[in-house]
Amino acid sequence: MAGVQGFFPPRTATGRSALIPAPPWRYSGDLLTVEYRTDPARVRELLPDMLELAPDDPGAVALIWADWQSCGDTGAELLDPVRAQYKECFAVVRCGYRGRTYSRCVFIWVDKDFAVARGIHQGYPKKLGSIHMTRPHPYGPAPRIAAGAAFGATLAAADRRVAQAVVTLREPSEANGFVNAHPMAHHRQLPAIDGKGLALDELVASGAASFEGGQAWVGDAELDLFDAPTEELSALAVEEPIGAYYRQVGVVWNGGTLLERAL
């Protein structure tokens, strides 16, 4: 649009009102991950036709809570924390596409509008929610990142509790789980203005352009999922626990690649 600027609407003469800056986007965060197995048929129901169930452990699910500080390339948002800090909770499964295994986010809730906008660009199915998780601290009653520490996490959407977890750390771990360990295979889709089909329909792959992380910890989890009128997370019912993890990470996201375009 000639004469106006900004990576994402609203676009203006200066671009200052844009909801999000252009990538790269940089993140520092605490991740609380609960992995479990559900009925693979429930995972299959959430995958479009061109994606298959993962060839091994097809019912594996990761439900992840994250407490983020994020920014564009200049880092300016970090000094205006209302634009940097947000929390999210997201459910990840694995899938197959042309002989390769991918991770795929099937549900995700965030508590800031700029995070929703980033999801539209990346192909994450983001919705607004209320997300809370225990933060570690070296003093006072907050848990330390150490054996025996317990962390709670909750998710609500449209005023209904959707999920809650308590994770108790046991010991250091070499990994932070396996379900969310692959490139993401997501769809970027936009309905046509006349309501007939899609104006944008792309299958894309993306992942971290760079990653750094602290020591991962493994532990045990109590996880409860609840029915809600507008949410379907509870369909991925917990049939068998796998493990729970805590890790502090730094990530850079800087675009992805097109796998398939329907239009």
Side-chain angles (χ1 to χ4, degrees), residues 77-91:
E77 298 93 328
L78 298 175
L79 299 182
D80 189 10
V82 70
R83 296 191 292 137
Q85 296 175 2
Y86 74 101
K87 293 185 287 295
E88 66 185 4
C89 179
F90 55 107

Side-chain angles (χ1 to χ4, degrees), residues 4 37 42 45 75 85 105 115 126 151 161 165 167 174 184 197 199 229 238 247 250 257:
V4 293
R37 294 184 178 92
R42 302 289 79 78
E45 291 172 349
Q85 296 175 2
C105 178
K126 294 188 176 184
F151 294 80
R161 178 67 59 91
V167 172
E174 293 185 2
M184 308 299 293
V238 180
R247 195 176 193 189
T257 58

Side-chain angles (χ1 to χ4, degrees), residues 28-39:
S28 300
D30 290 31
L31 302 183
L32 190 69
T33 301
V34 180
E35 292 187 335
Y36 66 92
R37 294 184 178 92
T38 193
D39 182 350

